[in-house]
């Protein structure tokens, strides 16, 4: 579970990130989960956009996905949300205590 300071730090990192993945009408498919997990292992923090015509709720989708892949939900703004997951092999982001 992220503390307030850690979440704020991750939000500041996410400001400059480009959206790396999209979720469409099919929702959270196995291939979407796999690609997001792979990207999180490399980058640790990831911005994901839900396509507007998908009919999905951003926060619900973000929390469901985070739970399914053991990641941390950082924030949601509009149709975009940010997830964080510490890399097993190559951790880069040092969270404040």
């Amino acid at each position: 579970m992220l503390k307030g300071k850690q979440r704020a730090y991750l939000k500041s990192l996410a400001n400059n990130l480009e959206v790396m993945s999209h979720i469409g009408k099919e929702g959270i498919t196995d291939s979407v989960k796999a690609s997001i997990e792979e990207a999180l292992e490399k980058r640790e923090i990831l911005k994901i956009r839900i396509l507007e015509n998908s009919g999905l709720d951003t926060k619900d989708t973000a929390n469901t996905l985070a739970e399914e892949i053991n990641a941390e939900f950082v924030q949601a703004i509009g149709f975009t949300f940010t997830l964080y997951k510490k890399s097993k092999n190559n951790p880069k982001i040092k969270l404040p205590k």
Side-chain angles (χ1 to χ4, degrees), residues 13-81:
L13 292 179
N15 276 341
N16 302 322
L17 292 179
E18 295 292 320
V19 172
M20 295 300 293
S21 189
H22 291 83
I23 296 176
K25 288 180 187 171
E26 299 82 35
I28 303 169
T29 62
D30 288 341
S31 64
V32 165
K33 264 196 284 194
S35 72
I36 289 172
E37 279 188 287
E38 189 179 309
L40 278 170
E41 176 59 32
K42 288 180 188 166
R43 293 181 175 82
E44 295 186 304
I45 190 166
L46 199 63
K47 246 186 203 177
I48 302 153
R49 176 166 286 138
I50 296 175
L51 300 180
E52 290 180 40
N53 63 355
S54 70
L56 299 170
D57 179 75
T58 307
K59 272 195 174 170
D60 289 345
T61 305
N63 284 312
T64 301
L65 179 60
E67 195 174 298
E68 288 181 13
I69 64 172
N70 270 341
E72 295 283 349
F73 169 73
V74 177
Q75 71 177 346
I77 299 172
F79 291 98
T80 304
F81 63 92

